[in-house]
Every structure is written in C-alpha cells, then in structure tokens.
Amino acid sequence: RSHMFKIEAHKTKSLEGDELTMELAKKHGCSYTDLTKVRLKFDSYDLDKSGLIDFLEFEHMIHQLLHCSTRSDLPKNRILRFWHEIDRDQNGSVDFQEFTDWYMKYFATAKQDGPIEAFYASFMPDFQRSHTLEALQEVIPAH
C-alpha cells in the first residue's frame, strides 16, 4: 500500500515540473520542447542530482558553456559576477527557474550571437544584442 503513495507523490512532482516548464516557456516565448531541452541541460549540470546547482557545479558549468580550455581562461571575478546574477535569492544554490531565466538571457541567443557577445552586451542594456563582438569592442575602451 505504501508504494501507491510513492507513485502518487512522483506523479504530483512530475506534474509540478511540467506546469513550471509550461509557465517558463510562456515567459520566455519559446516552445515546451525548447524548455525541455533547457531542463536537460540543467539536469546535466546538477552533478549530485539534488535538483539544485551549487557553486562548484556552477563553476564547472560556466567553463563548459563558455568553452574554456583551462580554468584560468575565465577570471574568478567573472564567475562570481555570473553567480551573483544567477542566484537571485542569494541562497547559495540555483533552482531550475533561476537557471532558466539566466540561461535564456545569455545562451538562448548563443547560436545567433554567441555566449561571449551576450555576456558583454549584458553590461550595456541599451546596446542591442544583435551587435557583434567587434562592435562592442569599438564601444568599450581598450585597456
């Protein structure tokens, strides 16, 4: 009889996940299928399968997303900037909704502009994301 409760609890959790996925798909103007792919990405970065991404998992994830060949390719201050942005409630972990909002901001357009361009465009909200990295470099003074 206890197995019946486990099955019902799993169905309820799954339904909540489906409803959240539908809600996020509407919010971001994409299909349920697209958001399901984002969910699969989230799950692949959630290495301990806790349903949350902690900072160490996030570090691993950001290096993969930005195609860093070594850890030194991405300065710690940039990782922390991304972390503070993705962990909106500052509880030390990232849930699927936080991940989706952040991922869609930077990586949904990655096929079109690239993740690096999306990242730098985020520093200048008035600057259109359709600009290339070269256009951003013209606007940002050289050091």
Side-chain angles (χ1 to χ4, degrees):
R1 190 171 171 174
S2 65
H3 70 282
M4 295 299 287
F5 293 113
K6 288 179 184 176
I7 292 170
E8 195 61 37
H10 177 72
K11 284 170 52 178
T12 302
K13 185 176 180 182
S14 176
L15 181 59
E16 289 170 359
D18 288 344
E19 288 174 4
L20 177 60
T21 302
M22 289 296 290
E23 182 181 312
L24 290 170
K26 287 179 191 175
K27 177 181 179 180
H28 293 286
C30 62
S31 71
Y32 178 83
T33 303
D34 290 338
L35 245 294
T36 301
K37 291 175 185 175
V38 173
R39 180 63 191 214
L40 290 173
K41 287 235 179 247
F42 175 84
D43 290 343
S44 74
Y45 297 128
D46 176 18
L47 301 175
D48 63 3
K49 304 304 176 206
S50 66
L52 300 168
I53 295 175
D54 64 30
F55 184 75
L56 292 176
E57 291 169 327
F58 176 78
E59 269 190 300
H60 178 74
M61 175 189 83
I62 197 71
H63 283 98
Q64 280 188 337
L65 287 171
L66 295 177
H67 308 290
C68 297
S69 56
T70 66
R71 295 184 70 77
S72 62
D73 286 347
L74 191 60
K76 190 73 165 181
N77 64 341
R78 289 214 185 121
I79 295 171
L80 289 171
R81 180 201 181 272
F82 269 133
W83 176 253
H84 291 299
E85 185 176 347
I86 193 172
D87 184 19
R88 286 190 320 255
D89 60 9
Q90 301 300 302
N91 69 350
S93 61
V94 175
D95 62 26
F96 179 59
Q97 185 167 355
E98 288 172 314
F99 174 82
T100 300
D101 291 345
W102 180 84
Y103 184 86
M104 295 300 285
K105 178 178 180 180
Y106 292 111
F107 297 95
T109 60
K111 293 176 192 152
Q112 178 184 14
D113 297 327
I116 304 300
E117 289 84 351
F119 172 73
Y120 283 105
S122 73
F123 286 103
M124 300 173 354
D126 296 333
F127 196 76
Q128 303 245 346
R129 289 217 172 132
S130 61
H131 287 76
T132 64
L133 181 58
E134 291 78 26
L136 282 170
Q137 289 170 337
E138 290 174 15
V139 176
I140 299 170
H143 289 51

